[in-house]
Amino acid sequence: MALTKDQLIADIAEAIDAPKTTARNALEQLGQIVADQLENGSEITLPGIGKLKITERPARTGRNPSTGAAIEIAAKKVVKFVPAKVLTDAVNK
């Protein structure tokens, strides 16, 4: 089962002994900071979690699955996540 945003906020609030509103604001600010940094082309390292960075996906030719017709898929930027070694090791115990 996936951890919901409300569950994450409750866990953060409990861990730092703060109200849920403080934890919610901190989580929303973190999201905004990460988005702003990635938008400006910077990488973000979240200690113990991993690194977020922007990579370029080149234009390519694809196929429409319903008709089989060739279509051009435009180039775009995508967010890539590289997990930290600590996180990988924790998952693979």
Side-chain angles (χ1 to χ4, degrees):
M1 184 168 117
L3 183 68
T4 66
K5 182 178 178 180
D6 286 336
Q7 291 169 330
L8 179 59
I9 289 168
D11 288 351
I12 292 170
E14 183 179 329
I16 63 172
D17 193 28
K20 285 184 182 180
T21 55
T22 302
R24 180 180 303 277
N25 289 340
L27 187 60
E28 289 173 356
Q29 279 303 114
L30 176 63
Q32 188 61 49
I33 291 167
V34 168
D36 289 345
Q37 291 299 309
L38 290 174
E39 186 177 317
N40 292 330
S42 300
E43 291 182 352
I44 301 291
T45 300
L46 303 171
I49 298 173
K51 184 186 293 187
L52 295 166
K53 59 185 178 180
I54 296 291
T55 59
E56 298 280 336
R57 184 173 288 168
R60 62 192 194 278
T61 302
R63 296 243 173 242
N64 181 332
S66 61
T67 64
I71 57 171
E72 236 356 86
I73 301 170
K76 65 179 180 177
K77 295 179 183 178
V78 295
V79 178
K80 182 177 179 184
F81 174 72
V82 179
K85 183 176 182 334
V86 174
L87 182 62
T88 303
D89 290 346
V91 170
N92 291 312
K93 281 187 177 179

